[in-house]
Amino acid sequence: MTETAFYILLSLTEPRHGYGIIKRVEELTDGRLKLGSGTIYGTLTKMQKDEMISIFADERRKTIYEVTGIGKKVMQAEMVRLKELHEHVLRFEGEFL
């Protein structure tokens, strides 16, 4: 999973529209990751095709994105993978100083 996809899914702990996702990702990364509209909407389209998110319109006809059960399972697996990476960083970082 790309970092962009990870943070988009992480931002969907509640349903959000595209701009809300962009702002939440900036917030989560302390401004390090600034997603452009092409990047976010391309990733969201792929996630929708992969059934990781669903899309609906709110009362103002804004497009809202929400994580699905499949998306949650993918995110859980990715978190396990990242925890393993983190454990290895902590274990071996001294060998690269």
Side-chain angles (χ1 to χ4, degrees):
M1 175 180 295
T2 66
E3 183 179 24
T4 297
F6 176 83
Y7 277 109
I8 288 173
L9 279 180
L10 191 63
S11 74
L12 291 176
T13 54
E14 62 185 56
R16 296 182 194 277
H17 54 80
Y19 183 72
I21 293 170
I22 290 170
K23 297 315 282 177
R24 182 66 178 143
V25 169
E26 283 184 28
E27 199 177 280
L28 289 168
T29 63
D30 293 324
R32 181 183 59 79
L33 193 58
K34 297 179 190 295
L35 301 178
S37 58
T39 300
I40 187 172
Y41 291 112
T43 304
L44 287 168
T45 298
K46 182 176 180 339
M47 287 179 168
Q48 182 186 18
K49 287 179 186 174
D50 293 340
E51 300 181 351
M52 294 168 55
I53 62 167
S54 60
I55 299 174
F56 62 93
D58 69 5
E59 64 280 351
R60 293 174 288 163
R61 297 170 61 158
K62 283 192 168 197
T63 302
I64 302 293
Y65 303 90
E66 183 174 35
V67 68
T68 64
I70 291 170
K72 287 179 182 181
K73 286 181 182 178
V74 169
M75 192 59 159
Q76 289 167 354
E78 183 65 4
M79 288 179 167
V80 168
R81 186 185 77 82
L82 291 172
K83 284 178 186 177
E84 180 183 316
L85 284 174
H86 183 253
E87 288 170 9
H88 287 138
V89 166
L90 294 176
R91 183 173 168 195
F92 296 105
E93 68 183 329
E95 296 182 31
F96 291 90
L97 296 177

